[in-house]
Amino acid sequence: MRPSGRAPDQMRELRFEPGFTKHAEGSCLVSFGDTRVLVTASLEERVPPFLRGKGQGWVTAEYGMLPRATHTRGSREAAKGKQSGRTQEIQRLIGRSLRAVVDLQKLGERQITVDCDVIQADGGTRTASISGAWVALRLAVDTLKLDVDPIMTQVAAVSCGIHGGQAVLDLDYVEDSSAGSDGNFVLTSDGNIVEAQVSAEGATFDDESLLRLLRLARIGCGEIFEGQRRAVGR
Amino acid sequence: MRPSGRAPDQMRELRFEPGFTKHAEGSCLVSFGDTRVLVTASLEERVPPFLRGKGQGWVTAEYGMLPRATHTRGSREAAKGKQSGRTQEIQRLIGRSLRAVVDLQKLGERQITVDCDVIQADGGTRTASISGAWVALRLAVDTLKLDVDPIMTQVAAVSCGIHGGQAVLDLDYVEDSSAGSDGNFVLTSDGNIVEAQVSAEGATFDDESLLRLLRLARIGCGEIFEGQRRAVGR
Amino acid sequence: MRPSGRAPDQMRELRFEPGFTKHAEGSCLVSFGDTRVLVTASLEERVPPFLRGKGQGWVTAEYGMLPRATHTRGSREAAKGKQSGRTQEIQRLIGRSLRAVVDLQKLGERQITVDCDVIQADGGTRTASISGAWVALRLAVDTLKLDVDPIMTQVAAVSCGIHGGQAVLDLDYVEDSSAGSDGNFVLTSDGNIVEAQVSAEGATFDDESLLRLLRLARIGCGEIFEGQRRAVGR
Amino acid sequence: MRPSGRAPDQMRELRFEPGFTKHAEGSCLVSFGDTRVLVTASLEERVPPFLRGKGQGWVTAEYGMLPRATHTRGSREAAKGKQSGRTQEIQRLIGRSLRAVVDLQKLGERQITVDCDVIQADGGTRTASISGAWVALRLAVDTLKLDVDPIMTQVAAVSCGIHGGQAVLDLDYVEDSSAGSDGNFVLTSDGNIVEAQVSAEGATFDDESLLRLLRLARIGCGEIFEGQRRAVGR
Amino acid sequence: MRPSGRAPDQMRELRFEPGFTKHAEGSCLVSFGDTRVLVTASLEERVPPFLRGKGQGWVTAEYGMLPRATHTRGSREAAKGKQSGRTQEIQRLIGRSLRAVVDLQKLGERQITVDCDVIQADGGTRTASISGAWVALRLAVDTLKLDVDPIMTQVAAVSCGIHGGQAVLDLDYVEDSSAGSDGNFVLTSDGNIVEAQVSAEGATFDDESLLRLLRLARIGCGEIFEGQRRAVGR
Amino acid sequence: MRPSGRAPDQMRELRFEPGFTKHAEGSCLVSFGDTRVLVTASLEERVPPFLRGKGQGWVTAEYGMLPRATHTRGSREAAKGKQSGRTQEIQRLIGRSLRAVVDLQKLGERQITVDCDVIQADGGTRTASISGAWVALRLAVDTLKLDVDPIMTQVAAVSCGIHGGQAVLDLDYVEDSSAGSDGNFVLTSDGNIVEAQVSAEGATFDDESLLRLLRLARIGCGEIFEGQRRAVGR
C-alpha cells in the first residue's frame, strides 16, 4: 500500500492552469498533486552569442525553488550567491528535454527561455517542470503564428521508483525520501524516450526493475500528454 | 485623468488569499491590481547569532522577483550570483516595517523569516509585499497560541506620487514610470508612521506635496487594514 | 540637552576642503564634525552602454567606508567580495540626489562618477557624502568650461531625528544609535525637496514630527549651501 | 565501422596505474584510451557537520578538468570563480556511485574525499573517473586495516551510445560528439545497476535501444572490473 | 637627470601624520611625495582560529586603493566582488614585513590588523604602506602599556630601480612606469633585510645592479627610520 | 647536513618529460625531485583586448594545485570560488618570467597561455613551474615555424634559502618549512637576472647571505638550462 493510498500505477491529480501570468508569452501553473510549479516561457528575437548568424533558434531553461516551497525553509540561492549543483542539474535536464522536441531551424533566430519556479514542493518538481514547460512553450510559440510548426511532438516527464519493494509511479515526497531507487523518464508523445535516468538510493536494482519503471512511465506520461493537450486547446 | 481611469485617491483592487501554500506557518498571496506577491512566514525556534541568549526574537524579510514577473524578462539573481541593490533595499524596508509593530521580547527566542516573491509586477511590489507580509506574519504568530500577543498593531504600505501634476494613490507601472516624484508610506493601524520616503524622479517637490501624498497614503492604508483584518478573520 | 551640548537646531562644525586630491577632476574632503568623507568626481568622455547615442550624460556614485572608519573595525567589503545592502542603498541615494540637480542633456555624452569614501564615521556619513559630492561635482564640471551650465541648483543633505522626545538636527553617532526615529532630507538650494526619508527606529511617529524634522532640515541645509558656495568660490 | 576501427562492443585500452602520487592514501591514474584521469582518495578522521555523532562515515567526490585537457583550452574554473553545472553534475554522480557500494556504518566516523582530475580528455571522463575512483578508494580503505570491509562490491562505469545507427560501447570524443543518443551506466560487480542514464542528443530512442545499451555496458564493465582487481592486487 | 629633478639617491619628501583618525588604536597618514596612504592599526583581544590557545598573537594587513587615487579611475574592488592579484600580493608583503619585527609571543593573544588605504598614488604605494604601518603599529602597541616590548626593531621599505640606465631611489609614477627593472626592499633598523625583491621590467639585470639597488635602499630606509622615530616621539 | 642528505649546492633530480599530453601545442611534465608539475602551452591566434591591433603578442600563465598534491588535502579553489593570494602571486610571477625572454613583437598577434598544474608538491612548485614552462613554450613556438625566433634566451628558476645557518639550493618541503629565510631566483641563460626575491621567514638576513643565495641559484639554473635543452632537442 502506498502512503497516499494510490495504486502503484496511479498518478497524483494533474492540473495545468495556462496563462497564469500576464506578461509572459506563454505561462502555466502546473500541479502534480501538492507539487506546484509556475512556468513561464519568454520569447526574444535574438539568440545567444554562440548561435549568432547560424539561422537557428535556441530553447533554454532555468529552475528555482521559492525558499519556503519545502517543509522547512531553504536558503535563497540569490542570497547565497550561487545555484546549487541540484538546481543546475535540473535546469540542464529541462532545457535538453525541450530542445529534443523543437526543430531549432524552424524556430528561426529566436530564443525561448523557460523559467520553472517551484511554488510548493511535494516530490517530482523536475518532472512537473518539464511537463508544464511544454505547455508554456506551446503557448509562446503559438503567438508567433509561424507557417511551419517548430514543435515536433509533445514531451512529458514523470518519476518512478521502487518503494517498499514495489515499482510505483509519480512519487510524492514521502515515497521519494524512502525509495530504494528512483528515476525520471522524459518521453515524447510519439512513443520515444528523451531521457531515462534511474539511480540507486540505498539499494541497487536489476534490469527487470528498469523495464518495469519504464512501463510505468509510459502510463503516467500518457495521462500527462492528455492534460497538456486540453491545456493548450488541441 | 489617470491612465487606469481611477480617481486620484482610488486604490487598485485589493485581494488577500491567506493560506496560499501549505508548508509555511503563515502565507498569503496578495494582489494590488495586477501586482501579485506570494508571501510566506517561516517560524523557527532559534534566533540569529547576534541575539542568542538575549531573550528576544527576530523578524526579518527577503524579497525576490521571478524573472518573468515583469514586461520583459529580467535575469535571475541566483544565476547572476548576487542580489541587486534594489532587492536589498526593499528587503531591508520590509524587515524594518514588520519589526516596528512586533514586540520582540514578547515573541520570545524565535525567528520569523518573511519571504516576499513577486509573481507578477505592475508597480508597488514593495508596498504589496509589506501589506501581505503582515497577514502571513499574523497567521504564523497565531499558530504559536501565545498568552501575550507580540504583534502590537497592523502595518500596511502604499505608494503615492505626483503624476501629471496631480497627487495620486497606489501607482501602477504606467504611472510609476512617468511620475515626477513618488514615495512609499508605511503606516500603522493606530495612526502612526513607520516610514515615509519620497523621491524626486525628474521633478523635485515642495512641502505641500509631501503632505498631500501622506494624506493619500492614510486613505489607502485604511482600506488595506480592512482587507488584512478580513483575511486573518479578525 | 543633546549629548554633544548642541542646541536642537545646531549643526556640527562644517568643513569643505576642495581639491584634497590631485588626480580627480573634482575633489573635496567634507567634515560634519568628526564625520569625514573624501569625495572625488571623475569625469569620463563616454557614457554607460544604456545611454550610448542618446545625446545625454550620466552621473553616478559609489560609496565605501574604510574598515577602521568606525569605533570597531568592520570587515573590508572588497575582501568579503560583496557590498552590503546598506552600502548599495546609500550609493543609490547619492546618485539619485545628484542627478536631480543636473541637466543630463546639457552635460552631453559624459559620465561623472562620484566616489564617497568615509575616512572617519560619527553619524551622518550619507548626508555628508551628498553635501560634499556637490562640491566635487561642481569643480569637475567647471573644468569643462561649458557654455551652458548643466548644474541647475545646489543640493545638500542632512539628517534629523527624534532624540529623547525632541526633534534634533544633524545627529552624531551617539544620538543616531539611540534615536526613536530619524531620517534624511535632501534639499535643493531653490527650496525644493529631492528626497525625504524618515524611519521609525523603535518608536513610530506622527505627521507633526515629520514636518518638524523637515523644518530642521531646511535650517541645516541652508548652512550647508553657504559652505558649499564658499568652497567652490561662488 | 567506428571511427577508431573498434568493434561495436570493444572497449578502448584500459590502464590503471595505482599509487601514481605519493601523498594520497589511495591514488590511481586511469586511462580509457586517450582519456586520462588522476584520481586520489583522501582519508580524514572526521565527518561533515550533518553526520557528526551518527556513527557513520561519508564518501564524497570532486571533479575537475585541467584547462588544456581538451582540444581547445577551456577557462579555469578557479579563475572564473565557479564550477560549471556539468562539473557539479559529474561530481554528484561520482559520489553517489561510490556510496552505493560502501557500507557507511562499517566505514566508521571517517570521510573519504575522492578527487578526479582530468589530465587529458577524449570522451568518457566521468566513467573513467568512477572506474578509477574505485581503485583509489579500495587502496585508501586498505590502509585502515579494518576488521570488517566497508566496501561491498566493485563499481565501474562505462558510456554507450547509438552512433551511426549502431549501439557502441565506450564512446571516444569523435563518437560522443556525433552520437544520436548516449548514456552512462554505473554497475556493480555483483550484477546490479547503480545508475542508468541515457539522453537523446538529436535523436530520441526506443526501449530496445535502451536494453541494447545496457547489454553493452555489462560487457564493458566486466572488463573494467578485471582491470580494477589486477590494479589492487586481488 | 631624473624627471623630478631629484638626485639618484634622493628620496621624495617624507611626511608622517600620526593620529590622523580618532577611532583606531594607532593611525598615520604617510606621504612619500604625492603618494599618500592612510594607515590604521586595529587592536583586538582575540586571535584568528588557527592560533587559538597557542599563547601568541598575530599581525596581519589589508591594502586597498581608493578608486580615484590614480590618474584615471580604477574600478572599486568591493563592487567587482574581488581583490586583484596585485592587491593580495601587496597585503601579504605588508603583513610579512611587520611580523618580521614583532615577537608574537610577547604580543600575547591579540591580533593587530593594519589597514593601508591609498588616498593618492604616485608610485611606491606598497613601500609607503609598510613604512607608515610601522608607525601605526608602534602607536597601537603603545596603548597596551606592556612590560616587555613585542616590537623588536623598526621596519621600513623603499623602492629602487634602474631608470635610464641609472640606479635611482624611491621611484615616482613616471619613473616606475618606464624603469627597465625595479624592486622593493624591506629593511630593519638594525641593518638586516626582511625582503628583497627585484624584477626585470623590459630589461633583465646583473648582480652589480642588484647590489647597487640594495645600497640605495639602505640610504632611503635610513631617512625613513628617522621620520618614523620623530612621528612616534622616540 | 641537509635532511635529504644532499650537498648544499646539489639540486634534486631533474626530469623533463616533453609532450606529456596530446592536445596542447607544447607540454611538459617537469619534476624537481618529488615535486611534479604538468605544464601546457596553449597557442591562440588572437590577443587579449588591451593589445588588439598593436601588432604584438602576449604570454600569460595560470597556476593551480590539485587538491591532494600536498600532504593533507587542500580545498579546491574552483569549489571555494576564488584563487588564493598565493596562487595569484605565483601565476603573475610565471607570466612575468616568461615575458622577460620573449620578444612579443616577433611573436606577432598571438597569445600563449601556459598552465602549470601541480600534480605533486614537495617544495619549489613555482620554480619547477617556470623551468618547465620554458620547455612547453619552446615546443609551442616551434610549431609556428616562424622565420625569426621570438624566444630570446632560456629562462629557469630555482629556490635557495638559509637552512640551519647554511645556504642551500633547491629546498624541498622539509627544508622550506623550517628555513630562516628563502627566496626564488629567475635567471636567463645569458647570465642575467629576471627576478630575485628573498624573504625572511623568522630570521632576517644580511647582504652576504643575499649574494650567497644568488651564487647558488646560478649553479642550479645552469643545471636546469641543460635539462631544458635536452628536453627540446637543442
Side-chain angles (χ1 to χ4, degrees):
Chain A
M1 188 62 170
R2 302 176 69 174
S4 61
R6 281 187 283 151
D9 62 354
Q10 190 184 345
M11 292 287 293
R12 290 176 286 179
E13 191 190 357
L14 286 178
R15 220 167 59 190
F16 295 92
E17 302 176 51
F20 192 79
T21 66
K22 72 169 190 173
H23 298 309
E25 283 71 27
S27 74
C28 175
L29 180 67
V30 57
S31 309
F32 277 30
D34 277 339
T35 289
R36 301 169 72 188
V37 184
L38 174 54
V39 188
T40 59
S42 297
L43 189 63
E44 287 167 298
E45 294 288 327
R46 59 184 187 80
V47 287
F50 71 93
L51 285 181
R52 269 177 212 152
K54 302 225 168 136
Q56 70 160 92
W58 190 242
V59 177
T60 186
E62 295 194 3
Y63 171 93
M65 209 183 246
L66 296 194
R68 193 55 197 279
T70 43
H71 285 80
T72 57
R73 186 177 183 274
S75 57
R76 188 176 287 267
E77 291 190 330
K80 282 196 298 184
K82 67 176 189 175
Q83 294 179 302
S84 72
R86 179 185 172 279
T87 290
Q88 294 193 56
E89 196 170 313
I90 293 176
Q91 62 194 14
R92 283 158 55 90
L93 172 63
I94 301 170
R96 258 192 336 259
S97 300
L98 294 175
R99 285 191 299 273
V101 299
V102 174
D103 183 322
L104 297 172
Q105 246 76 31
K106 290 188 183 149
L107 180 56
E109 295 218 346
R110 301 179 171 91
Q111 170 161 301
I112 300 178
T113 304
V114 173
D115 287 287
C116 302
D117 285 277
V118 181
I119 300 292
Q120 193 170 272
D122 188 35
T125 63
R126 82 187 69 187
T127 53
S129 293
I130 293 169
S131 302
W134 186 85
V135 172
L137 181 74
R138 177 74 273 172
L139 295 173
V141 170
D142 284 353
T143 65
L144 288 170
K145 302 187 190 308
L146 299 173
D147 290 337
V148 287
D149 189 357
I151 300 183
M152 301 180 293
T153 69
Q154 290 172 255
V155 67
V158 75
S159 72
C160 305
I162 311 289
H163 181 263
Q166 188 180 40
V168 294
L169 175 64
D170 187 28
L171 288 71
D172 57 26
Y173 176 77
V174 172
E175 288 172 321
D176 194 33
S177 48
S178 60
S181 56
D182 62 33
N184 298 292
F185 293 85
V186 184
L187 307 179
T188 63
S189 52
D190 60 0
N192 278 319
I193 309 174
V194 170
E195 180 115 5
Q197 187 268 330
V198 185
S199 302
E201 306 272 353
T204 54
F205 55 96
D206 56 20
D207 300 21
E208 288 65 42
S209 302
L210 180 60
L211 286 180
R212 225 171 316 136
L213 297 180
L214 176 54
R215 265 199 305 274
L216 282 176
R218 290 207 177 280
I219 295 172
C221 285
E223 204 171 315
I224 299 168
F225 290 132
E226 218 179 288
Q228 289 176 333
R229 276 190 300 267
R230 266 198 309 270
V232 302
R234 295 200 173 199
Chain B
M1 189 65 170
R2 302 177 68 173
S4 59
R6 282 186 281 152
D9 62 353
Q10 189 183 344
M11 292 286 292
R12 288 177 286 179
E13 191 191 356
L14 286 179
R15 219 166 61 191
F16 295 91
E17 301 174 53
F20 190 79
T21 67
K22 73 169 191 174
H23 298 309
E25 284 72 27
S27 75
C28 175
L29 181 67
V30 57
S31 309
F32 277 33
D34 277 338
T35 290
R36 300 169 71 188
V37 184
L38 173 55
V39 188
T40 58
S42 297
L43 189 63
E44 289 168 296
E45 294 289 325
R46 57 184 190 79
V47 286
F50 72 92
L51 284 181
R52 268 176 212 150
K54 303 225 168 137
Q56 69 159 93
W58 190 241
V59 177
T60 185
E62 294 194 4
Y63 171 92
M65 209 183 249
L66 295 194
R68 195 55 197 279
T70 43
H71 284 79
T72 57
R73 186 176 182 272
S75 57
R76 189 176 287 267
E77 290 190 329
K80 283 194 301 183
K82 65 177 192 175
Q83 295 179 300
S84 71
R86 179 185 171 277
T87 291
Q88 294 193 58
E89 196 170 312
I90 293 176
Q91 64 194 12
R92 284 156 56 89
L93 171 64
I94 302 170
R96 259 193 335 259
S97 298
L98 295 174
R99 286 192 298 275
V101 299
V102 174
D103 183 323
L104 297 172
Q105 245 76 29
K106 289 188 184 151
L107 180 57
E109 294 218 344
R110 299 177 173 94
Q111 169 161 303
I112 299 178
T113 304
V114 173
D115 286 288
C116 301
D117 284 277
V118 180
I119 300 292
Q120 192 171 275
D122 188 35
T125 64
R126 82 188 68 189
T127 53
S129 294
I130 293 169
S131 302
W134 185 84
V135 171
L137 181 74
R138 176 74 274 173
L139 294 173
V141 170
D142 283 353
T143 66
L144 288 170
K145 302 187 189 310
L146 299 173
D147 289 338
V148 287
D149 189 357
I151 299 182
M152 302 179 293
T153 69
Q154 290 170 253
V155 68
V158 76
S159 73
C160 305
I162 309 290
H163 181 262
Q166 187 181 39
V168 293
L169 175 64
D170 187 28
L171 287 72
D172 57 29
Y173 176 77
V174 171
E175 288 172 322
D176 195 31
S177 48
S178 59
S181 57
D182 63 32
N184 298 291
F185 293 84
V186 185
L187 307 179
T188 64
S189 52
D190 62 359
N192 276 322
I193 308 174
V194 169
E195 181 113 8
Q197 188 268 329
V198 185
S199 302
E201 307 273 353
T204 53
F205 55 97
D206 57 19
D207 299 22
E208 287 65 42
S209 300
L210 179 60
L211 286 180
R212 227 171 316 136
L213 297 180
L214 176 53
R215 266 199 305 274
L216 281 176
R218 293 211 175 278
I219 294 170
C221 286
E223 204 173 314
I224 299 168
F225 291 132
E226 219 178 285
Q228 288 176 334
R229 277 191 300 266
R230 266 198 309 269
V232 302
R234 297 200 171 199
Chain C
M1 189 63 171
R2 302 176 68 173
S4 60
R6 282 187 283 151
D9 62 353
Q10 189 183 346
M11 293 286 292
R12 289 176 287 179
E13 191 190 357
L14 286 178
R15 220 165 61 189
F16 295 92
E17 301 175 52
F20 191 78
T21 68
K22 73 168 191 175
H23 298 310
E25 284 71 27
S27 75
C28 175
L29 180 68
V30 57
S31 309
F32 276 32
D34 277 338
T35 290
R36 298 169 72 188
V37 184
L38 173 55
V39 188
T40 59
S42 297
L43 189 63
E44 288 168 297
E45 294 288 326
R46 58 184 190 79
V47 287
F50 71 92
L51 284 181
R52 269 179 210 149
K54 303 225 167 137
Q56 70 159 92
W58 190 243
V59 176
T60 186
E62 295 194 2
Y63 170 93
M65 210 183 246
L66 296 194
R68 194 56 197 279
T70 43
H71 284 79
T72 58
R73 185 177 183 273
S75 58
R76 188 176 288 266
E77 291 190 330
K80 282 195 300 183
K82 66 175 191 176
Q83 295 179 298
S84 71
R86 180 186 171 277
T87 291
Q88 293 193 59
E89 195 170 314
I90 293 175
Q91 63 194 12
R92 283 157 56 90
L93 171 63
I94 301 170
R96 258 191 338 256
S97 300
L98 295 174
R99 285 192 298 275
V101 298
V102 174
D103 182 322
L104 296 171
Q105 245 77 30
K106 289 187 184 152
L107 179 58
E109 294 219 345
R110 301 179 170 92
Q111 169 160 305
I112 299 179
T113 305
V114 173
D115 287 286
C116 302
D117 285 276
V118 180
I119 300 290
Q120 193 171 271
D122 187 37
T125 65
R126 82 186 69 187
T127 53
S129 293
I130 293 169
S131 301
W134 186 84
V135 171
L137 181 73
R138 176 73 275 172
L139 295 173
V141 170
D142 284 353
T143 66
L144 288 170
K145 302 185 190 310
L146 299 173
D147 289 338
V148 287
D149 189 358
I151 300 182
M152 301 180 293
T153 68
Q154 290 170 254
V155 67
V158 75
S159 72
C160 307
I162 310 289
H163 181 263
Q166 188 182 36
V168 295
L169 176 63
D170 186 27
L171 287 72
D172 57 28
Y173 177 77
V174 171
E175 288 172 322
D176 194 34
S177 48
S178 59
S181 57
D182 61 33
N184 298 290
F185 293 85
V186 184
L187 307 180
T188 63
S189 52
D190 61 359
N192 277 321
I193 307 174
V194 169
E195 180 113 8
Q197 187 268 327
V198 185
S199 301
E201 306 274 352
T204 54
F205 55 96
D206 57 19
D207 299 21
E208 287 66 40
S209 301
L210 180 60
L211 287 179
R212 227 172 315 136
L213 296 180
L214 176 54
R215 265 199 306 274
L216 280 176
R218 292 208 175 280
I219 294 171
C221 286
E223 204 172 314
I224 299 169
F225 290 132
E226 218 180 287
Q228 289 177 333
R229 276 191 299 267
R230 266 198 309 269
V232 302
R234 297 199 172 200
Chain D
M1 188 64 170
R2 302 176 70 175
S4 60
R6 282 187 281 152
D9 62 353
Q10 189 184 343
M11 293 286 292
R12 288 176 287 179
E13 192 191 355
L14 286 178
R15 221 165 61 190
F16 294 92
E17 301 174 53
F20 191 79
T21 66
K22 71 168 193 176
H23 298 310
E25 283 70 27
S27 75
C28 175
L29 181 68
V30 57
S31 309
F32 277 31
D34 277 340
T35 290
R36 300 169 72 188
V37 184
L38 174 54
V39 188
T40 58
S42 297
L43 190 63
E44 289 168 298
E45 295 288 327
R46 58 187 189 77
V47 287
F50 71 91
L51 285 181
R52 270 179 212 150
K54 302 223 168 138
Q56 69 160 92
W58 190 242
V59 177
T60 186
E62 294 193 4
Y63 170 93
M65 209 183 249
L66 296 194
R68 194 54 197 279
T70 42
H71 284 79
T72 56
R73 185 176 184 273
S75 58
R76 190 176 285 268
E77 290 190 329
K80 282 195 300 182
K82 68 176 189 175
Q83 295 179 299
S84 71
R86 180 186 170 276
T87 291
Q88 294 193 57
E89 196 169 313
I90 293 177
Q91 64 194 12
R92 283 157 57 89
L93 171 63
I94 302 170
R96 259 193 335 260
S97 299
L98 295 174
R99 286 192 297 275
V101 298
V102 174
D103 182 324
L104 297 172
Q105 247 75 30
K106 290 188 184 151
L107 179 59
E109 295 219 344
R110 299 179 173 92
Q111 169 159 303
I112 299 180
T113 304
V114 173
D115 286 287
C116 301
D117 285 277
V118 180
I119 300 290
Q120 194 170 274
D122 188 36
T125 65
R126 81 187 69 189
T127 54
S129 293
I130 293 169
S131 302
W134 185 85
V135 172
L137 182 73
R138 177 74 274 171
L139 294 173
V141 169
D142 285 352
T143 67
L144 288 170
K145 302 187 190 308
L146 299 173
D147 289 337
V148 287
D149 189 357
I151 300 183
M152 301 180 293
T153 69
Q154 289 171 253
V155 68
V158 75
S159 72
C160 305
I162 310 288
H163 181 263
Q166 187 181 37
V168 293
L169 176 64
D170 187 28
L171 288 72
D172 57 28
Y173 177 76
V174 172
E175 289 172 320
D176 194 33
S177 49
S178 59
S181 57
D182 63 32
N184 298 292
F185 293 85
V186 184
L187 307 179
T188 63
S189 52
D190 62 359
N192 277 322
I193 307 173
V194 171
E195 180 113 6
Q197 186 268 328
V198 185
S199 302
E201 305 275 352
T204 54
F205 55 97
D206 57 19
D207 299 22
E208 289 64 42
S209 301
L210 180 60
L211 287 180
R212 226 171 315 137
L213 297 180
L214 177 53
R215 266 199 305 274
L216 281 176
R218 292 211 176 278
I219 294 172
C221 286
E223 204 172 315
I224 299 169
F225 290 133
E226 218 179 286
Q228 288 177 332
R229 278 191 299 266
R230 266 199 310 271
V232 303
R234 297 200 173 198
Chain E
M1 189 64 171
R2 304 176 69 174
S4 60
R6 281 188 282 151
D9 61 353
Q10 190 183 345
M11 294 285 293
R12 289 177 286 179
E13 192 190 357
L14 287 178
R15 220 166 60 191
F16 294 92
E17 301 176 52
F20 191 79
T21 67
K22 72 168 192 173
H23 298 309
E25 284 72 26
S27 75
C28 175
L29 181 68
V30 56
S31 309
F32 278 30
D34 277 340
T35 290
R36 301 169 71 187
V37 184
L38 174 54
V39 188
T40 58
S42 296
L43 190 64
E44 288 168 297
E45 295 288 326
R46 58 184 190 79
V47 287
F50 71 93
L51 284 181
R52 268 177 212 150
K54 303 224 166 136
Q56 69 159 94
W58 190 242
V59 177
T60 186
E62 295 193 3
Y63 170 92
M65 209 183 249
L66 296 194
R68 194 54 198 279
T70 43
H71 284 79
T72 56
R73 187 177 183 272
S75 59
R76 188 177 287 267
E77 291 190 329
K80 282 196 299 185
K82 67 176 189 174
Q83 295 178 301
S84 72
R86 180 186 171 276
T87 291
Q88 294 193 58
E89 196 171 311
I90 293 176
Q91 63 194 14
R92 283 157 55 90
L93 171 64
I94 302 170
R96 258 192 338 259
S97 299
L98 295 174
R99 287 192 298 273
V101 298
V102 173
D103 182 324
L104 297 172
Q105 246 76 30
K106 288 188 184 151
L107 180 58
E109 295 218 344
R110 298 178 174 93
Q111 168 160 304
I112 299 179
T113 304
V114 173
D115 287 287
C116 302
D117 285 277
V118 180
I119 299 292
Q120 193 171 274
D122 188 35
T125 64
R126 81 186 70 188
T127 53
S129 293
I130 293 169
S131 301
W134 185 84
V135 171
L137 181 74
R138 177 74 274 174
L139 295 173
V141 170
D142 285 352
T143 66
L144 288 170
K145 300 186 190 311
L146 300 173
D147 289 338
V148 287
D149 189 358
I151 300 182
M152 301 181 293
T153 68
Q154 290 170 253
V155 67
V158 75
S159 72
C160 307
I162 310 289
H163 181 263
Q166 187 181 36
V168 295
L169 175 64
D170 188 28
L171 288 72
D172 56 28
Y173 176 76
V174 172
E175 288 172 320
D176 195 32
S177 49
S178 59
S181 57
D182 62 32
N184 298 291
F185 293 85
V186 185
L187 306 180
T188 63
S189 52
D190 60 0
N192 277 321
I193 308 173
V194 169
E195 180 115 6
Q197 188 267 329
V198 185
S199 301
E201 304 275 351
T204 54
F205 55 96
D206 57 19
D207 299 23
E208 288 66 43
S209 301
L210 180 60
L211 287 180
R212 227 169 316 136
L213 297 180
L214 176 53
R215 266 198 305 273
L216 281 176
R218 291 211 177 279
I219 295 171
C221 286
E223 205 172 314
I224 299 169
F225 289 133
E226 219 180 286
Q228 289 177 333
R229 278 191 298 267
R230 267 198 308 270
V232 302
R234 295 201 172 198
Chain F
M1 189 62 171
R2 301 175 70 173
S4 60
R6 281 187 283 151
D9 62 353
Q10 190 184 344
M11 294 285 293
R12 289 177 286 180
E13 192 189 358
L14 286 179
R15 220 165 62 190
F16 294 91
E17 301 177 51
F20 191 79
T21 67
K22 72 168 192 176
H23 298 310
E25 284 70 28
S27 75
C28 175
L29 181 68
V30 56
S31 310
F32 277 30
D34 277 340
T35 289
R36 299 170 72 188
V37 184
L38 174 54
V39 188
T40 58
S42 298
L43 189 63
E44 288 167 297
E45 295 288 326
R46 58 184 189 80
V47 287
F50 71 93
L51 284 181
R52 268 176 212 151
K54 303 223 168 138
Q56 69 159 94
W58 190 241
V59 177
T60 186
E62 294 194 2
Y63 170 94
M65 209 183 247
L66 296 194
R68 194 56 196 279
T70 43
H71 284 80
T72 56
R73 185 177 184 274
S75 57
R76 189 177 287 268
E77 290 190 330
K80 281 195 300 183
K82 66 176 190 174
Q83 295 179 298
S84 71
R86 179 186 171 276
T87 290
Q88 295 194 56
E89 196 170 312
I90 293 176
Q91 64 194 12
R92 283 157 56 90
L93 172 63
I94 301 171
R96 257 192 338 257
S97 299
L98 296 174
R99 286 191 298 273
V101 299
V102 174
D103 182 323
L104 297 171
Q105 244 77 28
K106 290 187 184 152
L107 180 58
E109 295 218 345
R110 302 180 169 90
Q111 169 160 303
I112 299 179
T113 305
V114 173
D115 286 287
C116 301
D117 285 277
V118 181
I119 300 291
Q120 193 171 273
D122 187 35
T125 65
R126 83 186 69 187
T127 53
S129 293
I130 293 169
S131 302
W134 186 84
V135 171
L137 180 74
R138 177 75 273 174
L139 295 173
V141 170
D142 285 352
T143 66
L144 288 171
K145 301 187 191 308
L146 299 174
D147 290 335
V148 287
D149 189 358
I151 301 183
M152 301 181 293
T153 68
Q154 290 171 254
V155 68
V158 75
S159 72
C160 305
I162 310 289
H163 181 263
Q166 188 181 38
V168 294
L169 176 64
D170 187 28
L171 287 71
D172 58 27
Y173 177 77
V174 171
E175 289 172 321
D176 194 35
S177 50
S178 60
S181 57
D182 62 32
N184 298 292
F185 293 85
V186 185
L187 307 180
T188 63
S189 52
D190 61 357
N192 278 320
I193 308 174
V194 169
E195 181 114 6
Q197 187 269 326
V198 185
S199 301
E201 305 276 351
T204 54
F205 54 97
D206 56 21
D207 299 21
E208 287 67 41
S209 301
L210 180 60
L211 286 180
R212 226 171 314 139
L213 297 180
L214 176 54
R215 266 197 306 273
L216 281 176
R218 291 207 177 280
I219 295 171
C221 285
E223 205 172 313
I224 299 168
F225 289 133
E226 218 179 286
Q228 289 176 333
R229 278 191 298 266
R230 266 198 309 272
V232 301
R234 297 202 171 194

